[in-house]
Amino acid sequence: MHCEKCDATAIISTNNGTFCKEHFIKNFERLTLYTIEKYALIRKGDTIGVANSGGKDSLSLLYIISKYFRDTNKIVSITIDEGIEGYRNKTIETMKHFCAEWGVQYRIYSYKEYSGMSMDKITRVRKGIPCSICGVFRRQLLNSAAKENRVDKLATAHNMDDEAESVIMNLFQNDFEKLIRLGPTSGLRTDDGFVSRIKPFIFINEKETAMFAFVKGINALHTPCPYSGFGFRGVIAKGLRELETTTTGAKRNIVNRMLELKAGHATIANSEFLHCSICGAPSSGTVCGACAMKRELANKA
Ligand code: SF4
Ligand SMILES: [Zn+2]
Ligand SMILES: [Zn+2]
């Protein structure tokens, strides 16, 4: 198999093209920068927060953002430490090293500090699927961390696989409003309490972020979370992987149709958020999901 741009042997073939190492790197960076420009994800002077889990996707994103924006923008790498034994400890050391090497500020925020309990303890005192509480806390803590660091845009490394999964999950759960909150910039509505989230990798396949990290020598540690088997996302991800093998471009089509749907429902953007009466964060009710869970955990401590 040959590269579509030259005679060299191809190292990857996806719905974004078939490329040799050199043209793959060029195309990967070009596509990321094109997404940033097309959707106006970053403006000169913005403080950019990068949500950094230490995985191949987030380190590749941190690499590109620091390569292209460190001369014009302040960059802060933010890690959430869930407090899961053996899961985050090693990656935090790797990330500290990367950030020091690339001259990026590094901040760590823990569930223990935020809610009084590590994720390991939460799973011991509270029944139910760990990911549901973990997801709510991560979202809220990332937002408050971003605000504390005066971040204008919080970049996450969600790729096309993640986004297609989210679209299908919201369809199955019949949650239309959540569905049209997806896209290169999260949400339809703006609020002073909510830091805008951006997804520069939304048109890049997971396979490509893995290959990019590999060819760039970005040594991301991959330790699976011990609670990861519980989620609905895993089921959808498996189905979509199978679908993509028989219908090339299925994930891209799912993401593109969602963007069209979102564009057609822009009027929802005019409605306002409520604010949590406890922490003040934008919320769909009078108490946000994170504060409701913290209150529940306080009774179990
Ligand atoms: S797999 Fe679930 S519990 Fe583990 S870090 Fe992810 S959201 Fe949290
Ligand atoms: Zn080539
Ligand atoms: Zn709250």
Side-chain angles (χ1 to χ4, degrees):
M1 193 168 47
H2 286 283
C3 171
E4 63 185 48
K5 298 275 184 199
C6 72
D7 287 338
T9 305
I11 60 162
I12 191 163
S13 182
T14 70
N15 50 35
N16 283 325
T18 301
F19 300 112
C20 68
K21 180 177 168 184
E22 184 199 332
H23 285 113
F24 165 68
I25 293 172
K26 274 193 187 149
N27 193 61
F28 186 100
E29 296 191 2
R30 183 197 60 78
L31 189 52
T32 307
L33 295 174
Y34 172 78
T35 304
I36 291 174
E37 203 185 317
K38 178 171 178 190
Y39 294 97
L41 302 187
I42 295 173
R43 288 169 314 180
K44 196 172 168 186
D46 276 346
T47 296
I48 311 165
V50 180
N52 186 357
S53 70
K56 56 187 173 8
D57 295 12
S58 55
L59 285 176
S60 297
L61 179 64
L62 186 59
Y63 168 87
I64 292 191
I65 287 188
S66 49
K67 177 173 175 182
Y68 289 99
F69 295 95
R70 76 177 146 203
D71 293 339
T72 49
N73 296 73
K74 184 177 163 193
I75 303 164
V76 189
S77 169
I78 299 172
T79 292
I80 302 300
D81 181 1
E82 299 88 350
I84 300 173
E85 188 57 37
Y87 174 55
R88 198 61 82 202
N89 341 25
K90 288 184 204 146
T91 47
I92 284 176
E93 285 314 307
T94 318
M95 287 183 279
K96 273 186 190 157
H97 172 78
F98 270 106
C99 292
E101 193 183 330
W102 296 340
V104 170
Q105 281 187 22
Y106 187 43
R107 302 272 183 271
I108 305 169
Y109 294 83
S110 74
Y111 283 7
K112 181 123 199 286
E113 229 174 285
Y114 175 67
S115 71
M117 282 189 207
S118 66
M119 198 59 213
D120 282 337
K121 176 145 189 216
I122 293 171
T123 59
R124 285 197 295 274
V125 300
R126 184 182 184 272
K127 287 198 177 68
I129 297 171
C131 299
S132 54
I133 190 164
C134 189
V136 171
F137 278 179
R138 184 181 301 110
R139 228 178 357 262
Q140 199 76 307
L141 190 49
L142 265 175
N143 192 59
S144 58
K147 281 191 73 68
E148 192 180 305
N149 289 283
R150 298 178 182 276
V151 163
D152 297 300
K153 303 283 175 59
L154 180 63
T156 63
H158 286 92
N159 55 43
M160 190 151 62
D161 296 56
D162 300 322
E163 194 73 355
E165 285 159 20
S166 299
V167 172
I168 301 294
M169 283 168 73
N170 288 318
L171 278 176
F172 281 160
Q173 289 164 337
N174 198 20
D175 196 335
F176 185 71
E177 191 169 340
K178 248 191 186 170
L179 173 71
I180 56 172
R181 264 192 244 147
L182 297 169
T185 45
S186 292
L188 280 167
R189 299 172 286 189
T190 53
D191 185 284
D192 286 346
F194 188 68
V195 178
S196 175
R197 296 195 180 201
I198 57 170
K199 299 175 193 162
F201 284 169
I202 193 171
F203 297 111
I204 290 184
N205 295 281
E206 191 170 271
K207 193 172 156 186
E208 292 165 311
T209 53
M211 179 60 85
F212 186 78
F214 175 72
V215 295
K216 282 292 183 185
I218 295 169
N219 295 314
L221 284 175
H222 179 68
T223 315
C225 169
Y227 309 120
S228 62
F230 291 96
F232 177 43
R233 182 174 288 272
V235 179
I236 302 293
K238 186 168 175 281
L240 279 178
R241 270 196 301 274
E242 282 165 18
L243 181 67
E244 186 73 31
T245 58
T246 53
T247 317
T248 309
K251 285 178 293 183
R252 177 189 289 274
N253 291 341
I254 290 169
V255 172
N256 283 340
R257 291 298 84 77
M258 175 271 295
L259 292 176
E260 283 169 16
L261 210 59
K262 180 171 176 152
H265 287 79
T267 46
I268 296 177
N270 297 326
S271 57
E272 283 179 9
F273 277 112
L274 295 173
H275 289 89
C276 171
S277 56
I278 300 174
C279 71
S283 163
S284 54
T286 50
V287 175
C288 75
C291 285
M293 284 189 188
K294 278 164 82 172
R295 201 154 56 181
E296 185 194 326
L297 291 174
N299 295 328
K300 297 177 192 279

